[in-house]
Amino acid sequence: MQYGLAALNAGAITTTQFLDLNQSIGGFDQDANYVASRSVGNVGAIERAYQGGLSMGGNGGLATIPVFDMGSYNDSGGYHYQWYRFAIRERLRQANGDVGNHVMWRGSAVPQAQAWAVLNDWVTAVKADTSDVSQHEKVVNNRPAAAVDGCWATSTQFIAEPQTFSSQPSSQCNTLYPSYAFPRYVAGGPITANRYKCHLKPLDTSQYAVTFTSAELARLRVIFPRGVCDWSKPGVNQTGVVPWVSFGPSPDNLVFDVTKPYEDGDMPDE
């Protein structure tokens, strides 16, 4: 993974800073101790994390229920987590083809009682639907008129507009509640943030908006001897959640052979 790639291409950091960052980024061991080398993702553990729901996927249960994101805004301090709301939305879109069962209310003063009332009306309408369409379609078809995207400027002022991921004042809501990115996104990864080990591709100088000297290119190849992340592909062992998953001893929905421990990953977590 090329940390700071977008910052490099935007001219926010120099080629030297980019190379220094990626050469010295290091990683963590299994006890959360900092180590000089990059961490190695265990491909078996990654697969089980997807299957077992440790990584929230858009299929399974989330595909068949109303999903109402109405948490408080927290990007103004040191924690930038609002991007995760948009990650979940895109995971739903990828898994189901639409986000008709997902609504987002942003802000620091979201009236929780009002939000829960809208969600309750939605669930009640879905449960009363006896049509033959799929459960996902029932949820989409019975979405209340009040269940629209928007943000709350105050506890009484609602701004109804599509919610988009941006730290720029590109809309009323983004002006009030900007969303800041995360390292893997700046490194070229998708907003879904669910590719925990990437496939690799050869270094290609056309992906850079800057020019490296011959010495810098040589250094770049030393830092990434096997190539860099190919974000156009799904992650290594990326898969959907297994509903009602079993890790044993029950054989129902068992996601691995309990007699065979998974093997250590053999590719660096780029």
Side-chain angles (χ1 to χ4, degrees):
M1 185 164 66
Q2 301 182 86
Y3 289 99
L5 177 61
L8 173 71
N9 284 334
I13 60 175
T14 66
T15 53
T16 298
Q17 289 172 320
F18 175 74
L19 293 169
D20 287 347
L21 171 64
N22 282 282
Q23 188 170 46
S24 306
I25 192 68
F28 291 92
D29 65 16
Q30 64 182 12
D31 298 314
N33 297 310
Y34 176 77
V35 293
S37 59
R38 293 200 180 199
S39 304
V40 177
N42 186 297
V43 295
I46 287 173
E47 183 176 27
R48 293 181 195 178
Y50 286 123
Q51 294 172 326
L54 292 178
S55 169
M56 184 177 288
N59 70 317
L62 284 188
T64 58
I65 61 172
V67 180
F68 203 150
D69 185 336
M70 51 188 177
S72 297
Y73 179 73
N74 61 4
D75 269 35
S76 57
Y79 296 95
H80 295 162
Y81 287 146
Q82 187 167 231
W83 65 265
Y84 193 68
R85 301 166 184 247
F86 295 95
I88 296 302
R89 170 164 285 186
E90 290 309 307
R91 293 180 192 184
L92 288 166
R93 192 190 311 278
Q94 288 184 5
N96 309 310
D98 65 75
V99 290
N101 67 323
H102 186 268
V103 176
M104 191 182 298
W105 282 5
R106 289 196 287 161
S108 300
V110 177
Q112 295 295 307
Q114 186 171 340
W116 280 104
V118 173
L119 180 59
N120 185 64
D121 289 344
W122 195 353
V123 173
T124 300
V126 172
K127 290 180 68 67
D129 189 338
T130 60
S131 64
D132 294 330
V133 299
S134 70
Q135 182 67 19
H136 178 76
E137 290 175 293
K138 288 182 181 181
V139 174
V140 174
N141 294 343
N142 289 281
R143 178 170 170 164
V148 296
D149 269 12
C151 64
W152 291 84
T154 69
S155 60
T156 58
Q157 182 184 358
F158 181 68
I159 301 172
E161 66 179 19
Q163 298 302 288
T164 58
F165 174 67
S166 178
S167 62
Q168 302 302 309
S170 53
S171 67
Q172 294 183 76
C173 291
N174 285 338
T175 300
L176 291 169
Y177 307 112
S179 301
Y180 299 98
F182 51 98
R184 296 179 81 88
Y185 185 80
V186 179
I191 185 61
T192 50
N194 58 357
R195 297 176 190 173
Y196 301 128
K197 180 187 273 294
C198 61
H199 290 282
L200 302 179
K201 64 179 180 180
L203 277 168
D204 180 1
T205 56
S206 67
Q207 70 179 303
Y208 305 108
V210 298
T211 300
F212 292 98
T213 66
S214 57
E216 288 174 330
L217 277 175
R219 186 180 173 191
L220 190 65
R221 293 190 175 96
V222 170
I223 296 171
F224 300 108
R226 302 180 63 178
V228 295
C229 279
D230 184 350
W231 297 111
S232 68
K233 297 179 180 179
V236 176
N237 275 0
Q238 183 173 356
T239 186
V241 66
V242 178
W244 304 106
V245 64
S246 168
F247 291 96
S250 171
D252 295 334
N253 296 326
L254 191 65
V255 294
F256 67 96
D257 186 346
V258 295
T259 66
K260 297 179 180 179
Y262 55 74
E263 298 177 353
D264 289 338
D266 57 359
M267 292 180 291
D269 181 5
E270 315 301 330

